């Protein structure tokens, strides 16, 4: 899509400035992709001066490259993660909305994941943290290219725990005796506890949220260490529980400015700092660390939601409803993003290239010297030239699907072309005050010039010369995008549900509670392959 190939850029750099080609000279690099949940663009001090809780992330930005026009492929959990791991929008890979605890399906099995491509290329592959792409049968991460998995199969508010953490409104702890009390409010899960998996085995149910960050850090360090000892390059996908509610942190001191959210943000920052330290200690300069968010803040959680920075979606706010998570406003999909690779990625650099989590798949595949899966089209680009500072050109056009707001799930409701952003549907997501903006369909589309109006406050006048000049190009791009998707090899996800698909450690105990830590573990599905709970390298 107009971006020079990695090979061409490597040759050009070698000829012009005498730099060694990274892959040829250094072998296959290691990859660590850290995906934060519901984090705001303004939750990084490097992005937003008011934020003080992220010294490690700010250090990462100073020692690497910060991307300020970086976007999630969707603005809610499952579609965003499916797109990162396939390089394809939900309209192609079939994942258009979130999977449930009773979901039978997941990311379609005919879709090839990044882990599968890299494992075939000789990598040790590990996933730690939130999955949310199907947990039943062969949709589980252990069957999607990952040699090792430790984590929660979906969002950590989709099950009860003994230490519920901070949520708005709060949910009760898991019941311990008798029949689980039914809670009328649909947001709370009381009949099944939140499970923690190691490979296909439930090792804790309910999971202890207060120690989860430490456990993730320890297992990530162990995976990196064992991969190094095996002599193989590694790919670690670390999908954090932070900053999604519930926030499981000790009560912060009264003097802390952002209270509970700030304490949780500090915990996430420390975890990222720990991973960077471990990666550096096992060969500094051999590992690319890429940090990004899965979507914007969950506005209806009020003080437990993140900072949007300047991306407030003022036009929508004036009409009620959210302009963050689930929406196609900038606050829903423009996310913090950093890349760190000492000696390869320039330090203290800010890139304004239009990039996306979609680009992680093709970029890492190219850097690993592997090939993209055949017989399908990709929405992501190999943005290696941008990473290495040789270019600051990303996408010419970027599509934004509906992710649970107004309109049909997965449909392209907004489009970015250079500095212009066109909206075909708006509204439908809940704000902190409980308002839900009215669903509005726009034909012709609303068009904003983000160079002048980053707050998305005032759309261009339809009668203006600027609007009339840019509309034909936007309409062509939109039509071409829809035609390209319609003629692609498109997958369809199975969103059917069955109560038997719920992960349950012990069906004899209320809320599926395990009798005691380590005393009873249940394999996910007796019809799937049984695997030992070990690190497979």
């Amino acid at each position: 899509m107009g971006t020079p190939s990695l090979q061409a850029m490597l040759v050009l750099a070698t000829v012009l400035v005498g730099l060694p080609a990274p892959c040829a000279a250094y072998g296959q690099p290691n990859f660590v992709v850290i995906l934060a949940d519901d984090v705001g663009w303004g939750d990084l001090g490097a992005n937003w001066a008011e934020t003080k809780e992220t010294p490690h992330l700010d250090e990462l930005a100073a020692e690497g490259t910060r991307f300020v026009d970086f976007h999630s492929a969707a603005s809610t959990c499952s579609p965003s993660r499916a797109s990162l791991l396939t390089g394809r929008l939900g309209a192609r890979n079939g994942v258009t909305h979130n999977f449930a605890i009773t979901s039978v399906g997941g990311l379609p099995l005919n879709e090839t994941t990044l882990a599968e491509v890299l494992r075939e290329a000789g990598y040790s592959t590990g996933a730690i943290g939130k999955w949310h792409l199907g947990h039943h049968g062969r949709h589980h991460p252990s069957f999607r290219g990952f040699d090792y998995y430790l984590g929660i199969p979906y969002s950590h508010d989709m099950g009860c725990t003994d230490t519920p953490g901070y949520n708005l409104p709060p949910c009760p702890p898991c019941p311990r005796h008798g029949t689980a009390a039914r809670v009328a409010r649909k947001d709370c899960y009381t009949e099944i506890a939140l499970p923690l998996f190691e490979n296909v085995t439930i090792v804790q149910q309910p999971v202890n949220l207060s120690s989860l960050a430490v456990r993730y850090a320890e297992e990530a360090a162990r995976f990196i260490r064992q991969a190094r000892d095996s002599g193989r390059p590694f790919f670690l996908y670390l999908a954090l529980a932070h900053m999604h509610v519930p926030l499981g942190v000790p009560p912060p001191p009264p003097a802390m400015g952002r209270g509970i959210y700030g304490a949780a943000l500090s915990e996430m920052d420390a975890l990222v700092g720990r991973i960077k330290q471990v990666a550096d200690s096992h060969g500094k300069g051999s590992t690319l660390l890429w940090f990004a968010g899965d979507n914007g803040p969950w506005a209806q959680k009020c003080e437990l939601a993140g900072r949007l920075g300047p991306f407030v979606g003022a036009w929508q706010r004036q009409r009620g409803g959210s302009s963050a998570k689930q929406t196609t406003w900038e606050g829903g999909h423009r996310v913090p993003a950093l890349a760190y690779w000492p000696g390869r990625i320039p330090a203290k650099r800010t890139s304004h290239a239009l990039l996306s989590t979609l680009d992680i798949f093709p970029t890492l595949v190219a850097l690993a010297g592997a090939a993209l899966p055949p017989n399908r089209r990709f929405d992501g680009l190999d943005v290696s030239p941008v990473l290495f500072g040789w270019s600051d050109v990303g996408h010419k056009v970027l599509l934004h699907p509906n992710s649970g707001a107004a309109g049909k799930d997965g449909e392209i409701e907004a489009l970015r072309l250079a500095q212009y952003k066109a909206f075909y549907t708006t509204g439908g997501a809940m704000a902190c005050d409980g308002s839900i903006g009215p669903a509005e369909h726009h034909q012709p589309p609303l068009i904003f010039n983000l160079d002048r109006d980053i707050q998305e406050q005032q759309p261009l006048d339809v009668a203006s010369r600027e609007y009339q000049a840019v509309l034909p190009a936007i309409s062509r791009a939109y039509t071409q995008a829809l035609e390209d998707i319609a003629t692609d090899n498109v997958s369809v996800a199975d969103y059917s549900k069955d109560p038997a698909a719920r992960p349950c450690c012990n069906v004899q105990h209320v809320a599926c509670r395990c009798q005691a830590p380590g005393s009873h573990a249940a394999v996910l599905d007796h019809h799937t392959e049984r695997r030992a709970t070990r690190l497979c390298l």
Side-chain angles (χ1 to χ4, degrees):
M1 296 181 68
T3 302
S5 70
L6 171 63
Q7 183 178 7
M9 292 304 298
L10 292 175
V11 171
L12 178 63
T14 303
V15 171
L16 293 182
V17 297
L19 290 175
C23 294
Y26 294 88
Q28 291 175 304
N30 305 311
F31 303 125
V32 177
V33 175
I34 302 178
L35 190 68
D37 199 347
D38 292 1
V39 68
W41 189 92
D43 280 336
L44 267 64
N47 285 347
W48 199 243
E50 294 178 20
T51 298
K52 308 297 183 185
E53 296 91 352
T54 58
H56 296 98
L57 283 162
D58 298 344
E59 179 182 70
L60 198 66
E63 296 180 2
T65 293
R66 178 173 66 104
F67 303 101
V68 294
D69 202 356
F70 192 97
H71 301 260
S72 58
S75 54
T76 197
C77 306
S78 296
S80 176
R81 290 153 203 274
S83 291
L84 186 156
L85 289 174
T86 64
R88 288 154 53 87
L89 287 166
R92 300 184 199 270
N93 67 38
V95 181
T96 58
H97 53 288
N98 288 339
F99 293 103
I101 65 172
T102 54
S103 287
V104 172
L107 175 65
L109 298 178
N110 59 304
E111 289 290 326
T112 303
T113 70
L114 177 57
E116 289 170 320
V117 175
L118 293 179
R119 185 164 69 176
E120 185 69 21
Y123 278 72
S124 295
T125 56
I128 294 176
K130 175 178 173 178
W131 178 240
H132 217 168
L133 293 175
H135 53 273
H136 186 65
R138 302 195 72 83
H139 294 286
H140 186 277
S142 292
F143 303 103
R144 302 313 303 266
F146 291 101
D147 297 321
Y148 177 74
Y149 174 64
L150 176 83
I152 297 170
Y154 27 69
S155 296
H156 65 284
D157 63 340
M158 294 172 66
C160 62
T161 65
D162 291 335
T163 53
Y166 296 90
N167 203 343
L168 189 68
C171 288
C174 285
R176 289 185 173 273
H177 306 287
T179 305
R182 294 185 177 273
V183 176
R185 194 165 59 80
K186 65 176 183 179
D187 297 344
C188 290
Y189 293 74
T190 58
E191 295 185 353
I192 185 164
L194 190 68
L196 179 69
F197 278 87
E198 186 167 24
N199 298 322
V200 295
T201 302
I202 297 175
V203 294
Q204 192 179 51
Q205 192 170 14
V207 65
N208 183 348
L209 290 180
S210 62
S211 62
L212 192 60
V214 171
R215 186 160 190 174
Y216 282 174
E218 289 174 348
E219 292 302 323
R222 186 167 70 93
F223 174 82
I224 291 171
R225 182 172 59 253
Q226 293 199 18
R228 178 207 61 182
D229 293 345
S230 75
R232 296 169 60 191
F234 65 83
F235 165 52
L236 174 61
Y237 171 52
L238 179 57
L240 305 178
H242 303 78
M243 297 298 298
H244 194 294
V245 293
L247 304 177
V249 293
M256 181 170 285
R258 293 184 71 185
I260 298 300
Y261 191 88
L265 188 59
S266 293
E267 184 180 65
M268 180 190 78
D269 179 72
L271 193 160
V272 174
R274 171 63 178 150
I275 300 304
K276 173 180 178 288
Q277 180 187 44
V278 170
D280 283 346
S281 69
H282 292 297
K284 190 169 185 177
S286 63
T287 301
L288 164 59
L289 192 158
W290 202 327
F291 172 89
D294 75 330
N295 48 247
W298 199 357
Q300 70 187 69
K301 298 300 179 178
C302 302
E303 70 271 14
L304 299 182
R307 281 186 168 135
L308 293 169
F311 308 108
V312 297
W315 187 92
Q316 184 64 64
R317 284 193 173 184
Q318 293 165 4
R319 290 157 177 78
S322 170
S323 58
K325 178 178 177 176
Q326 298 183 300
T327 79
T328 54
W329 298 97
E330 290 294 290
H333 52 76
R334 191 182 293 223
V335 294
L338 309 168
Y340 168 78
W341 189 359
R344 306 267 67 84
I345 290 177
K348 300 180 180 178
R349 176 171 174 258
T350 298
S351 169
H352 295 269
L354 180 59
L355 304 182
S356 167
T357 50
L358 290 161
D359 304 327
I360 293 174
F361 184 107
T363 302
L364 299 196
V365 168
L367 291 172
L372 292 174
N375 305 319
R376 69 203 68 190
R377 298 175 193 149
F378 292 87
D379 298 290
L381 304 175
D382 171 10
V383 296
S384 306
V386 180
L387 290 185
F388 297 141
W390 303 334
S391 168
D392 208 32
V393 177
H395 291 259
K396 294 179 180 178
V397 175
L398 194 60
L399 308 176
H400 300 299
N402 173 42
S403 300
K408 183 179 178 181
D409 287 330
E411 284 198 345
I412 308 305
E413 303 288 11
L415 176 147
R416 173 81 178 272
L417 175 67
Q419 74 268 36
Y420 294 101
K421 175 98 170 278
F423 289 84
Y424 294 89
T425 304
T426 56
M430 183 180 293
C432 171
D433 62 6
S435 66
I436 298 176
E440 297 184 55
H441 301 283
H442 306 280
Q443 196 56 255
L446 297 178
I447 300 178
F448 295 82
N449 183 332
L450 298 182
D451 279 354
R452 295 197 307 264
D453 185 13
I454 200 65
Q455 294 185 345
E456 295 172 304
Q457 183 169 10
Q458 185 62 49
L460 301 179
D461 185 340
V462 174
S464 69
R465 289 185 179 180
E466 186 177 13
Y467 187 98
Q468 294 300 320
V470 74
L471 179 61
I474 286 175
S475 298
R476 280 195 304 272
Y478 187 65
T479 300
Q480 290 171 1
L482 297 184
E483 289 176 352
D484 185 72
I485 292 169
T487 57
D488 191 13
N489 184 2
V490 172
S491 299
V492 178
D494 178 5
Y495 276 97
S496 63
K497 299 177 182 180
D498 183 344
R502 297 182 303 178
C504 189
C505 182
N506 188 341
V507 295
Q508 303 301 319
H509 281 240
V510 64
C512 290
R513 181 185 294 277
C514 294
Q515 295 178 25
S519 67
H520 187 285
V523 174
L524 170 67
D525 180 2
H526 4 279
H527 301 295
T528 62
E529 172 187 352
R530 285 177 173 265
R531 292 186 177 184
T533 307
R534 61 187 179 90
L535 189 60
C536 306
L537 295 173

